[in-house]
Amino acid sequence: MTARTELPEWNALKALAGTDGERHLRDLFAEDEERFSRFSGEAAGLFVDYSKTRITEDVRDALLALSRACGVEARRDAMFGGTAINETEGRAVLHVALRAQEEGRHLVEGRDVLPDVRAELSRMESFCGKIHSGEHKGHTGKPLDTVVNIGIGGSDLGPVMVTEALAPYALKGRKVHFVSNVDGTHLAETLRRIDPETTLFVVASKTFTTQETMTNAHSARAWFLEQGASEDDVAKHFVALSTNEEGVREFGIDTSNMFRFWDWVGGRYSLWSAIGLPIALQIGWTNFESLLLGARGMDEHFRTAPAQENLPLLLGLIDVWHRSFLGMHAHAVLPYDQYLHRLAAYLQQADMESNGKSVTMNGTPVSYPTGAIVFGEAGTNGQHAFYQLIHQGTDVIPCDFLAPARSHNPLGDHHEKLLANFLAQPEALMRGRTEDEARAELIEGGADAAEADRLAPHKAFPGNRPTVSILTEEITPATLGALIALYEHRIFVAGAVWDINSFDQWGVELGKTLAKAILPELTGGTGGAHDASTAGLIARINASRG
Ligand code: F6P
């Protein structure tokens, strides 16, 4: 396959980076009254305004041409069809099948996966029903009103983010806790707050071998037994979410208490599978189904909408434009909705574990920047923390601003103030303030000419900082499902253009292996050779711990 950088379409964009890519957004808006309608669109309950990104008609056309040259749509169709596009792991990538409806579309090795998906969803539904009705009781006969999800990465971040985002939909009286960190503090603090008689532990791990999760699960089980329960009681209080039946059995969870998913569900794309059980337990089955339905709406849009209107496609291409052609290193996710306060953490894994790669599908090093550093915080909190750098720092950081038009908590004029900030920040980032404008404002405010000259450079904003605004009427299970799917597909598109495998994660392996090798050295044993720094730190820790 031709290297990306040798494609004429790639080089056309490189040329455009020096012309259109340098244009100031202020000028682009001044020149074109239609810019907002030209560069915005709607799908699955989300309105997306990308008119404040650094694109022009020519750039959009060139990006779409690059997408065609890179075979993005063909790769999308291969993903939906069940081809093993995760080549380094030899797996299909079929999270879309978890929320699909149409039979015969998603085939793994010629076999439709939908019947299995439906069967597992129906087991989950029935289990939720039994927990909610109190039919499934704990060992002392009490209903289980509390869930402790033990998992990490994709077996934690999605369920945490969604249960927080949909807190207004939580069933009355239900409580959910998430334990992920191997730091004993995480589990210990959680155990202090729960009642073993009314708690269901959900051990969530695709592989059922992850050190953190297994350690926490074993400790939780030991604690449960210490509280007076017997081995036989474990079955009533522990369920597993996994692809690894043998691992679940070995841990001591009866496989009839196991909810399955499949190797074609990537960890960071798994909240729609059995991994979503804690979500369904918290918000109820109907709401969980609405979440899937919302995602399906976005899937359909991504699969069928013409390229010019296809929002995940366009946003993924704009990400490539900003990152690979305009050299922007980071990407901020800024939800103006307190319930979405874990969205950035969730997207850090979704995006950075997917696109933080530096070799192409065939193993050759890429010669262009790929995945950006993702970070963020709920607005308006971030404004009082890191926005200074976004407005006036030396790096240009594209930002996503997200907001619901309606709040679940319409308290006084809070939401109007929140929305005013949601609108003002992208406007400020786009327009900026020239030094002349800053000087004029200072003079108007009573400063003398010398003072205005001295302060104006500090009060000037370069502007031309790209933002995408994503607006929805309200954060509901359906609009949230659509939003997550929008990001999933956008990440897919960027990865496909970069010719990297967005679905493996070899980069997390080395650290895990070394941690396993070091562990004995912290528990009185001996270990391998280390660099002087690591050896010095080990010696120091051991000395401190006596
Ligand atoms: O951090 C690496 C990783 O493999 C993630 O991709 C995954 O989501 C997480 O660990 C947890 O894995 P598992 O669900 O197998 O415990």
Side-chain angles (χ1 to χ4, degrees):
M1 190 191 277
T2 318
R4 295 302 193 237
T5 48
E6 277 163 32
L7 292 169
E9 291 83 357
W10 185 278
N11 290 307
L13 279 155
K14 254 177 107 175
L16 279 168
T19 54
D20 292 31
E22 304 266 302
R23 309 272 332 264
H24 200 293
L25 282 164
R26 253 191 200 211
D27 300 330
L28 295 174
F29 272 98
E31 277 166 23
D32 179 8
E33 281 183 4
E34 303 297 313
R35 187 169 171 86
F36 171 65
S37 54
R38 204 183 297 285
F39 298 115
S40 59
E42 199 162 2
L46 304 180
F47 181 82
V48 179
D49 170 20
Y50 55 97
S51 63
K52 294 196 192 81
T53 65
R54 295 261 280 266
I55 66 163
T56 60
E57 290 272 20
D58 285 349
V59 170
R60 181 166 62 185
D61 290 348
L63 285 168
L64 290 171
L66 177 66
S67 162
R68 283 190 298 275
C70 296
V72 173
E73 281 153 309
R75 191 164 165 80
R76 171 199 64 194
D77 295 344
M79 173 173 79
F80 275 80
T83 306
I85 62 164
N86 175 0
E87 285 177 19
T88 59
E89 295 184 322
R91 291 174 182 166
V93 176
L94 267 181
H95 45 279
V96 292
L98 300 166
R99 54 229 188 186
Q101 201 173 27
E102 203 165 313
E103 281 169 32
R105 180 171 286 155
H106 313 283
L107 308 176
V108 171
E109 288 165 5
R111 186 167 171 265
D112 190 353
V113 298
L114 241 59
D116 287 349
V117 169
R118 289 215 180 106
E120 212 52 30
L121 284 173
S122 132
R123 286 187 67 230
M124 287 166 66
E125 179 181 8
S126 142
F127 182 72
C128 286
K130 285 184 189 150
I131 291 283
H132 293 149
S133 68
E135 186 188 332
H136 180 118
K137 291 186 175 38
H139 69 288
T140 56
K142 293 185 182 169
L144 304 180
D145 62 4
T146 304
V147 166
V148 174
N149 189 81
I150 299 177
I152 197 164
S155 301
D156 169 74
L157 289 163
V160 176
M161 185 274 281
V162 172
T163 49
E164 289 290 308
L166 298 179
Y169 296 84
L171 299 180
K172 208 162 167 263
R174 294 217 58 84
K175 288 158 271 184
V176 64
H177 304 273
F178 291 89
V179 176
S180 51
N181 201 335
V182 75
D183 182 342
T185 298
H186 206 176
L187 181 64
E189 283 296 339
T190 306
L191 296 179
R192 274 183 204 127
R193 286 184 282 143
I194 59 166
D195 176 354
E197 293 180 42
T198 57
T199 296
L200 177 74
F201 289 94
V202 175
V203 186
S205 174
K206 179 175 172 181
T207 54
F208 233 71
T209 57
T210 303
Q211 185 192 52
E212 293 91 333
T213 302
M214 290 302 104
T215 306
N216 279 322
H218 279 288
S219 298
R221 193 173 186 277
W223 173 85
F224 177 69
L225 296 175
E226 278 161 22
Q227 308 307 304
S230 72
E231 284 287 348
D232 285 349
D233 298 332
V234 169
K236 295 196 178 89
H237 290 262
F238 280 75
V239 297
L241 319 176
S242 188
T243 59
N244 177 0
E245 205 163 315
E246 207 178 310
V248 169
R249 201 177 298 116
E250 252 170 49
F251 175 85
I253 294 180
D254 191 328
T255 48
S256 61
N257 293 331
M258 167 182 176
F259 297 91
R260 288 168 185 76
F261 57 113
W262 305 272
D263 70 355
W264 43 261
V265 182
R268 52 193 174 274
Y269 298 92
S270 65
L271 70 89
W272 325 96
S273 71
I275 290 294
L277 186 70
I279 303 173
L281 285 167
Q282 189 64 10
I283 64 174
W285 191 256
T286 312
N287 284 324
F288 184 67
E289 279 190 323
S290 300
L291 182 79
L292 301 185
L293 203 70
R296 186 193 303 160
M298 188 54 73
D299 294 343
E300 283 312 286
H301 169 79
F302 180 48
R303 208 175 56 78
T304 60
Q308 285 267 356
E309 294 156 28
N310 196 310
L311 294 175
L313 178 67
L314 291 166
L315 292 184
L317 292 172
I318 290 168
D319 290 340
V320 172
W321 171 240
H322 286 154
R323 180 76 187 105
S324 300
F325 295 94
L326 302 185
M328 299 171 189
H329 298 98
H331 187 138
V333 178
L334 309 167
Y336 280 63
D337 183 308
Q338 186 58 27
Y339 287 125
L340 289 176
H341 71 115
R342 295 295 289 163
L343 183 67
Y346 167 77
L347 289 175
Q348 279 178 337
Q349 188 200 17
D351 198 325
M352 293 163 83
E353 200 166 88
S354 296
N355 286 344
K357 314 281 163 70
S358 49
V359 293
T360 64
M361 291 294 284
N362 70 16
T364 50
V366 296
S367 56
Y368 38 83
T370 62
I373 299 159
V374 177
F375 71 103
E377 184 61 67
T380 56
N381 289 358
Q383 291 177 201
H384 299 271
F386 53 79
Y387 279 35
Q388 164 64 41
L389 184 148
I390 295 182
H391 282 285
Q392 286 187 316
T394 48
D395 271 294
V396 176
I397 301 177
C399 305
D400 293 350
F401 285 83
L402 304 98
R406 282 198 307 271
S407 169
H408 285 291
N409 298 295
L411 193 65
D413 63 355
H414 285 240
H415 201 58
E416 290 72 20
K417 285 178 175 157
L418 182 73
L419 288 175
N421 280 282
F422 159 77
L423 295 164
Q425 291 294 332
E427 188 175 33
L429 287 163
M430 184 276 284
R431 286 181 53 77
R433 179 163 62 196
T434 65
E435 222 172 293
D436 282 349
E437 286 169 346
R439 196 174 294 108
E441 281 176 36
L442 281 159
I443 301 242
E444 210 179 304
D448 61 28
E451 182 72 346
D453 281 349
R454 191 175 69 82
L455 287 180
H458 299 277
K459 294 189 139 234
F461 291 67
N464 206 20
R465 307 213 153 190
T467 61
V468 168
S469 298
I470 303 179
L471 193 58
T472 184
E473 275 180 25
E474 195 170 41
I475 299 294
T476 64
T479 55
L480 182 68
L483 180 70
I484 301 168
L486 172 74
Y487 274 95
E488 285 179 345
H489 297 322
R490 170 181 184 176
I491 291 164
F492 167 88
V493 168
V497 173
W498 285 323
D499 190 24
I500 56 178
N501 184 353
S502 302
F503 300 104
D504 61 13
Q505 54 285 315
W506 301 107
V508 302
E509 295 300 323
L510 182 58
K512 284 187 195 173
T513 309
L514 294 187
K516 274 196 188 128
I518 290 173
L519 185 60
E521 295 176 64
L522 301 176
T523 51
T526 51
H530 298 290
D531 59 87
S533 160
T534 309
L537 290 168
I538 292 172
R540 216 179 157 84
I541 288 172
N542 281 335
S544 302
R545 288 160 53 93

